[in-house]
Amino acid sequence: METLSTARAHGGTQGLYRHASTATGTDMDFAVYVPDHSPGARLPVVTYLSGLTCTPANVVEKGEYRAACAALGLIFVAPDTSPRGPGVPDDPAGAYDFGLGAGFYLDATEAPYRGPYAMRRYIAEELPALIASAFPADATRQSIMGHSMGGHGALTLALAAPGRYRAVSAFAPIVAPSRVPWGEKAFTGYLGLDRAAWRRHDAVAMIEDGARLPALLVDQGDADPFLAEQLRPELLRQACAAAGIDLTLRLQPGYDHSYYFISTFMPDHLRWHAARLAD
């Protein structure tokens, strides 16, 4: 693991790191904030998954999470959204919603994306092991959250591994990617045309097929330009109601899809996580 930079912030250390990933076969960058703590202490970990086009820099620079993490004693991990580097295939037309910056937190099965686009395995297995070995992280106290495409990733990774994450939340998640243009494009490219295979990567479909979580917190801006066509939170509300999942879905008036929205409600989400990560 290579340390690219560190800086003091809110009584803790914000770092940016790089390592050679065995899951993707590429170098992967990730950010970690560690609050000051007693010698020998092991701290709970919140993993934050970013949305389309993002790198770890977006949340590091705009997410405004450090003060809350310092007060609550949380390690905050922000991985990248896709593999990158020479030879990593991108969208043939260079579109923003597929390929580089748009890995959709799944393991691709279709050429030429199969291999490097192993983001589910990277987030669920490789990165947590690295964090536990290199930082004062308590591997038994993990939670996950995300924004947009990252909200999709947080929901589906948690639904696929019940009990793994003590808390799950999302900002403006893509809840039913099989039914919206962003997801249909991504799933066709990464997973092929078999829609039955798509259901294992679609939060609403997973809940319909029996996956469960004890509780979810979701914030959504009602001025989000992607609300009606791409996000469709009403489908998550319906699925959770039918499954008996305790969903707190807050439609926030006047807020859009940006980090102004995320940073406003980030402390609420971190308090939600901290309460469930307590010993």
Side-chain angles (χ1 to χ4, degrees):
M1 187 180 76
E2 177 186 0
T3 300
L4 302 179
S5 67
T6 60
R8 291 287 291 166
H10 294 281
T13 300
Q14 176 67 64
L16 180 63
Y17 307 92
R18 177 174 295 156
H19 76 117
S21 167
T22 58
T24 67
T26 67
D27 285 349
M28 295 293 289
D29 290 355
F30 62 97
V32 180
Y33 178 75
V34 180
D36 286 350
H37 54 279
S38 302
R42 309 297 285 185
L43 306 180
V45 179
V46 178
T47 297
Y48 173 90
L49 305 183
S50 294
L52 291 166
T53 76
C54 290
T55 71
N58 294 79
V59 70
V60 168
E61 295 170 4
K62 304 174 185 177
E64 299 184 21
Y65 56 84
R66 280 172 286 267
C69 284
L72 297 166
L74 301 174
I75 292 176
F76 190 94
V77 177
D80 206 344
T81 50
S82 77
R84 301 179 193 267
V88 176
D90 195 5
D91 183 274
Y96 76 94
D97 56 357
F98 185 79
L100 299 183
F104 270 80
Y105 303 103
L106 50 77
D107 293 342
T109 58
E110 297 295 299
Y113 307 100
R114 181 178 62 248
Y117 284 83
M119 290 301 294
R120 174 173 281 198
R121 182 154 51 95
Y122 177 71
I123 299 297
E125 300 174 17
E126 183 177 13
L127 186 59
L130 177 62
I131 298 299
S133 67
F135 298 92
D138 183 346
T140 69
R141 291 189 290 160
Q142 296 186 57
S143 69
I144 194 164
M145 65 193 303
H147 169 233
S148 193
M149 178 186 72
H152 143 76
L155 295 177
T156 56
L157 266 68
L159 286 163
R164 170 75 177 277
Y165 301 102
R166 293 198 189 179
V168 188
S169 72
F171 303 100
I174 307 170
V175 303
S178 299
R179 306 188 207 181
V180 302
W182 276 340
E184 290 178 334
K185 177 178 179 178
F187 285 5
T188 300
Y190 293 135
L191 302 173
L193 297 175
D194 182 4
R195 284 182 170 261
W198 294 10
R199 295 185 68 83
R200 296 191 295 273
H201 304 276
D202 180 308
V204 167
M206 293 172 75
I207 293 169
E208 291 172 347
D209 292 344
R212 296 290 182 267
L213 291 170
L216 294 171
L217 171 63
V218 174
D219 274 303
Q220 171 67 62
D222 72 358
D224 190 322
F226 305 114
L227 177 59
E229 183 181 28
Q230 304 282 14
L231 305 178
R232 305 193 63 187
E234 73 280 0
L235 297 177
L236 181 65
R237 187 192 298 277
Q238 293 164 11
C240 287
I245 295 174
D246 181 10
L247 169 67
T248 301
L249 174 58
R250 307 187 300 193
L251 197 62
Q252 302 292 359
Y255 285 90
D256 60 15
H257 200 69
S258 72
Y259 269 89
Y260 296 112
F261 158 62
I262 296 167
S263 63
T264 300
F265 300 102
M266 180 69 82
D268 284 355
H269 282 242
L270 291 172
R271 285 189 288 268
W272 162 280
H273 286 254
R276 289 156 179 80
L277 289 166
D279 283 329

